Amino acid sequence: MATITIPLEHGVKMGDKTHTTVLLRELTPGDIIDAGLASERVTASDDGYVFAVSPTLMGLHTLAKQIESIGDYDGIVDIDDLRKFHREDFELLQFHAERLDQAVLESVMQRGKHDASGGEPELADD
């Protein structure tokens, strides 16, 4: 599973300690499913009540699930914990989470792809 450690500019207080790093990990299918379910809300419409998924909540829930640890705090992170981050650190987390997602997606897209000569796909060095 791909991970990346992010140094925080301002740090974040969890419990009684201020932490200065966050370990992000790639999302699992279960993470995406759980985030989608947590993002659903019942909304009234002209046709009655419907379930709607909030893109904002989906993004926040997936980001929280991507956080493996904050410094030496390795408890479950939720949206209330995300509110504790300084704006610049929060933006940094979002940026790196998107980069991690993109790297995983590119890796999946390369899987099974043949080169122009019809040879075997190239494997990335780890």
Side-chain angles (χ1 to χ4, degrees):
M1 179 173 288
T3 61
I4 184 171
T5 300
I6 311 301
L8 301 175
E9 178 84 17
H10 303 277
V12 62
K13 190 167 183 164
M14 300 293 289
D16 41 339
K17 185 175 179 185
T18 300
H19 302 278
T20 58
T21 61
V22 171
L23 179 64
L24 293 177
R25 65 171 176 79
E26 69 182 88
L27 291 166
T28 66
D31 293 332
I32 296 167
I33 291 167
D34 292 343
L37 291 172
S39 302
E40 287 183 344
R41 298 290 181 255
V42 177
T43 305
S45 75
D46 293 338
D47 299 325
Y49 291 97
V50 296
F51 281 100
V53 175
S54 163
T56 301
L57 285 176
M58 182 71 175
L60 292 171
H61 283 296
T62 55
L63 179 60
K65 290 190 172 296
Q66 276 187 284
I67 297 175
E68 182 76 17
S69 63
I70 299 173
D72 60 7
Y73 175 81
D74 60 358
I76 295 173
V77 176
D78 60 24
I79 290 178
D80 288 335
D81 294 320
L82 295 178
R83 294 173 193 262
K84 298 175 185 177
F85 284 89
H86 186 279
R87 181 188 53 81
E88 291 174 352
D89 288 340
F90 183 73
E91 289 172 357
L92 191 64
L93 285 179
Q94 289 181 305
F95 172 78
H96 285 288
E98 288 176 20
R99 281 189 47 213
L100 182 60
D101 293 344
Q102 187 63 36
V104 170
L105 179 61
E106 287 173 9
S107 173
V108 169
M109 290 174 60
Q110 289 299 320
R111 190 176 303 144
K113 218 178 199 184
H114 289 338
D115 65 20
S117 66
E120 291 299 312
E122 293 183 29
L123 299 177
D125 294 330
D126 286 284

